[in-house]
Amino acid sequence: MNKIKFTTLFVFAFTISTFAATYKVGNIVEYNGKVKTLLAGDTIMLANGVWNNAQLVFKGKGEAGKNISLVAETPGKVFLQGKSCLNLSGNWLNVSGLVFKNGYTPKEVVIDFRTSSKDYAYNSVVSNCVIDKFNQPVKDSMDHWVGVYGKKNVVEYCYFGGKNNDGTTLVVWPNDSNSINNGHLIYRNYFGARPRLGANGGESIRIGTSQVCHLSSGTIVDGNYFEHCNGEVEVISNKSCDNILVNNTFFECEGSLVLRHGNNVTVSGNWFIGNGKPYTGGVRVINEGHKIYNNFFYKLAGEDFRSGLTIMNAIPDSPPNGYAPVKNVIFANNTFYDCAFPWAFGVGFGERNRTVKAESTLLLNNLVYCPNTKDLVKYYDQTDGVRFDNNIMINSAGNSSDKGAVLGEALQTKVNGYDAVYATLKAKKLPYVKFDILGQLRGEAVVGAFQNNGEKPVLEYASAKNCGPSWYKATAENAQKKTIPTGKTITVVAGTDVLTQAIKKAGNGDVLLLSAGEHIITNKLSINKSITLKCADEKLKPVIKLKSTRENNSFFEIGANARLNIDGIAMNGDSKAQYPAKYVFASGKEGAVNYALHLNNCDIYDVKVASGAIFKAYKTSYADSIVIKNSILRDSYRGISLADEKDDIGKYNAENLIIDNTVFSNIEQFAIDYYRGGNDESTLGGALKIDHCVFDNVGIDEKQTIVKLTRIVNVAISNSIFANSMVKTSVRLYGNKNSLTNCCFSSCADPKAESGATISKMNHESVKFEKKSFNLDKKSKLKGLASDGGNIGLK
């Protein structure tokens, strides 16, 4: 009897330990039935194909060496689409090979390392997965793509690209006792292009939050590749303590690695590759106890918050979401190569009560080689709390003596395909700087990130070739590129709704040549692709006219990622019609993000419906660019309305507004209303450029403003005429990046400047135009006075 019992127990134990099973399932019903039965070592396999509206819950109790796995039948061939997501919790779980595309999460997270507020994942891995353009329909709808809770979890070799709605791409949550001191690893992931969000909340990685920034996370972010991550100023936002951010590559990212909150963070071995692209940044420092060493800053062009090294000023007795003092920070053995603004100290001084300077901070053994830059350091406040020691600093004049820099030579070399420099000057040793950026042992240590010419690297540089799933590279490298596709050229004859049908049938990148005559449309034209409308005969402008059967219609409604180019065409709002057009152009009311409108040689007129406008941007919409050149916008109620974002948290409706050689005439209210409320500093804050334009008879009473600007950060108005207006204020500029120069104000109120904005070379000559045009009269004194040698006003 005892022998039989022993045999039975032995066979049962052998079955558990040896016969791990793989179960293939073909739909969500089969999945839900089988996933609850999995034992340690088992695998559930999703069949190849599209899994639509699949909300996967993956719970299990694996063991060390015997993970429970959720895998694709073939990596990259299982597509979770529609309203799909994944929640996992338990121990020793593994997820691999899934693609989230063509949809969005119905919850707050796409891949979440928890199944409830108490059930977290531990010792679990998500690898070789893809989340690509898996965006909410509305830009303001917030979600995160990956949420990491629990402890000892890994996200590795994944691709995340194209996120364009609110919310961080990947978040680590060290918010409670089950998630602090977590030891998570974020490794070899490819963070693909993230377009500008135009709002706070566009980080690629965030570790912690302001509320728990005093807690230790202990997360490791190692060897990841960030490409064109332009969501906001913070590519990585550190908001907890004791994290390690090492060996990552930031390729042409319009932002920085930001130590926003939390203490004692290590930043080492990172490559910041700017290639001279505007707004590319390095490391921004707040809080205390950080060690920042062995980093390479290459051709960065950002300034202020996006400088190569930014040391912030702090707020006295700062609240958790404010700015704590920089203390006990060591910045050592870093190399800067040809950066426009290498170092900036006291950034933020004068704004939001940031008056507390850095203290007990050491800059040691750094090599700054920027031969095209005159001023290597920009001071916003005094630096008596910062000590500079043994730094080589070479500017356009040679060796600089700024802040006691020492004499030394920068020897040219090439590392990983990039120009670089190394030094022979001995470094003052720090106990933890035992290796250089390439993993080479520092024997007789030298200044800078590179111990020598870099011929024998030990560490592999993070790049597009070794990060993310190997099977997704071709798609990842082309994600979010702004190349405009080329298509067919199609002739469109005049008539009723002929243009409507042509646009519906047109492919992405097609050019529609409009014949002379009237092109009547009876309903708005929805633009959801890249398309060009162009006159077939340059001597005869075709006219688009709306004959609608309902009120408040528009000519064109532009959707997400669409690009509408119009060249040589007139648009008649026909205010005498039974139902005249309210708008010529309007953004889509939901989800219209990263679109573009480019007009050239257009004549737009007679849009007189009360509260109507030639262009209307709706709340939550966000244009990449609106460009108007060589055109006339006239006889209308309003011009360009970019002012629906009134939450006053820093959001705005367009990143770039460019008006060149264009006339605004007989506009009842404003020509331009460009709004950004609040003082959020995470974005570029919008950009307006007006050059060689004419604003004639804009604003019917003194309450109006010709160009109405609210806290737009970058404004440049030049060589333009403001004439014949009753307004009390023509233009009000705000901020030190706002300027107006070489403009004429004739029978019109002068502009006003505040908070560092500048006005120069203003002119008050009486303006006379040629008959039937807005070209200057032959006797005008404004001829030849433009900054480019041409005329003030039209070119």
Side-chain angles (χ1 to χ4, degrees), residues 79 216 353 424 473 505 698 761:
F79 299 95
S216 176
N353 196 31
T424 56
K473 284 295 185 294
K505 294 178 181 179
V698 177
K761 298 182 180 179

Side-chain angles (χ1 to χ4, degrees), residues 22 73 151 164 182 188 260 270 273 276 290 449 529 607 625-626 667 675 712 747 752 764 790:
T22 296
E73 179 183 359
K151 295 186 178 183
N164 66 18
N182 53 64
R188 281 286 189 257
R260 185 65 184 87
N270 299 288
I273 307 300
H290 308 307
K529 65 196 85 173
V607 187
S625 60
I626 299 170
I667 309 291
Y675 187 93
I712 300 301
S747 300
K752 296 182 179 179
H764 294 92

Side-chain angles (χ1 to χ4, degrees), residues 13-139:
F14 181 82
T15 302
I16 291 176
S17 61
T18 305
F19 293 100
T22 296
Y23 303 97
K24 181 179 176 181
V25 293
N27 56 58
I28 192 66
V29 175
E30 292 179 7
Y31 173 86
N32 288 337
K34 182 55 66 178
V35 72
K36 298 173 185 177
T37 69
L38 300 178
L39 302 175
D42 285 351
T43 296
I44 187 165
M45 178 187 293
L46 304 189
N48 289 346
V50 174
W51 289 61
N52 201 39
N53 299 327
Q55 299 179 37
L56 304 176
V57 178
F58 183 39
K59 300 175 71 172
K61 294 182 179 179
E63 299 171 6
K66 295 168 66 177
N67 283 19
I68 300 176
S69 298
L70 165 60
V71 302
E73 179 183 359
T74 305
K77 299 297 184 181
V78 173
F79 299 95
L80 291 108
Q81 299 186 1
K83 297 180 180 179
S84 295
C85 59
L86 168 65
N87 293 74
L88 61 151
S89 68
N91 229 315
W92 300 101
L93 306 178
N94 179 67
V95 178
S96 181
L98 308 181
V99 177
F100 290 85
K101 202 170 184 179
N102 299 323
Y104 58 93
T105 176
K107 302 182 180 180
E108 295 179 351
V109 185
V110 180
I111 299 176
D112 205 357
F113 281 72
R114 63 173 183 171
T115 55
S116 74
S117 60
K118 295 182 180 179
D119 296 312
Y120 294 170
Y122 302 89
N123 303 299
S124 297
V125 179
V126 171
S127 66
N128 286 283
C129 288
V130 169
I131 308 177
D132 191 352
K133 304 184 191 72
F134 205 65
N135 294 308
Q136 297 290 332
V138 179
K139 171 176 172 275

Side-chain angles (χ1 to χ4, degrees), residues 479-491:
Q480 290 290 326
K481 299 295 183 186
K482 292 186 178 180
T483 53
I484 298 175
T486 55
K488 302 185 297 294
T489 298
I490 303 164
T491 299

Side-chain angles (χ1 to χ4, degrees), residues 196-473:
R196 296 174 187 172
L197 183 64
N200 192 11
E203 307 98 326
S204 292
I205 291 180
R206 193 184 76 231
I207 309 172
T209 62
S210 302
Q211 292 74 19
V212 298
C213 62
H214 59 287
L215 298 178
S216 176
S217 184
T219 296
I220 301 169
V221 179
D222 182 4
N224 301 277
Y225 182 69
F226 299 85
E227 179 185 57
H228 300 153
C229 292
N230 303 337
E232 59 149 273
V233 70
E234 300 180 18
V235 180
I236 294 181
S237 181
N238 183 89
K239 294 187 175 182
S240 52
C241 298
D242 306 312
N243 299 308
I244 299 173
L245 314 175
V246 294
N247 306 324
N248 303 287
T249 298
F250 300 84
F251 183 79
E252 296 179 0
C253 294
E254 293 181 351
S256 303
L257 186 162
V258 179
L259 306 178
R260 185 65 184 87
H261 301 298
N263 304 323
N264 306 319
V265 176
T266 297
V267 179
S268 177
N270 299 288
W271 296 65
F272 298 88
I273 307 300
N275 287 332
K277 302 289 184 180
Y279 313 116
T280 47
V283 176
R284 180 154 61 103
V285 183
I286 305 131
N287 285 80
E288 58 186 271
H290 308 307
K291 295 180 176 65
I292 306 164
Y293 60 95
N294 280 347
N295 301 287
F296 183 45
F297 303 85
Y298 179 81
K299 294 191 175 183
L300 302 177
E303 62 178 314
D304 300 336
F305 279 53
R306 302 167 196 253
S307 299
L309 168 65
T310 301
I311 303 288
M312 294 289 296
N313 261 22
I315 298 171
D317 301 316
S318 176
N321 65 343
Y323 285 82
V326 174
K327 295 181 182 179
N328 303 316
V329 170
I330 298 177
F331 188 83
N333 286 97
N334 301 284
T335 294
F336 292 78
Y337 187 96
D338 198 14
C339 296
F341 299 91
W343 292 357
F345 295 96
V347 177
F349 175 70
E351 295 283 343
R352 300 171 66 177
N353 196 31
R354 287 181 291 227
T355 59
V356 180
K357 297 173 289 186
E359 58 182 90
S360 303
T361 291
L362 173 64
L363 274 76
L364 176 70
N365 299 334
N366 298 289
L367 173 56
V368 181
Y369 176 78
C370 299
N372 297 308
T373 302
K374 179 182 177 182
D375 298 319
L376 301 180
V377 186
K378 190 171 183 179
Y379 302 98
Y380 295 83
D381 199 0
Q382 296 178 351
T383 57
D384 43 291
V386 180
R387 183 162 68 92
F388 301 83
D389 192 2
N390 208 47
N391 301 296
I392 299 174
M393 304 182 72
I394 299 173
N395 64 7
S396 56
N399 273 96
S400 171
S401 60
D402 201 339
K403 288 296 180 184
V406 297
L407 292 175
E409 188 178 5
L411 304 176
Q412 295 283 340
T413 186
K414 221 171 185 63
V415 184
N416 289 326
Y418 295 105
D419 293 327
V421 285
Y422 67 101
T424 56
L425 181 70
K426 292 182 180 179
K428 296 184 177 181
K429 290 188 177 182
L430 292 168
Y432 48 84
V433 188
K434 297 178 180 178
F435 304 89
D436 76 348
I437 188 174
L438 300 173
Q440 299 179 117
L441 183 66
R442 288 182 181 271
E444 193 67 63
V446 298
V447 165
F450 300 98
Q451 177 64 14
N452 51 41
N453 62 8
E455 288 183 354
K456 298 179 181 179
V458 178
L459 290 174
E460 187 179 21
Y461 162 79
S463 69
K465 295 180 180 179
N466 56 30
C467 293
S470 59
W471 42 264
Y472 209 69
K473 284 295 185 294

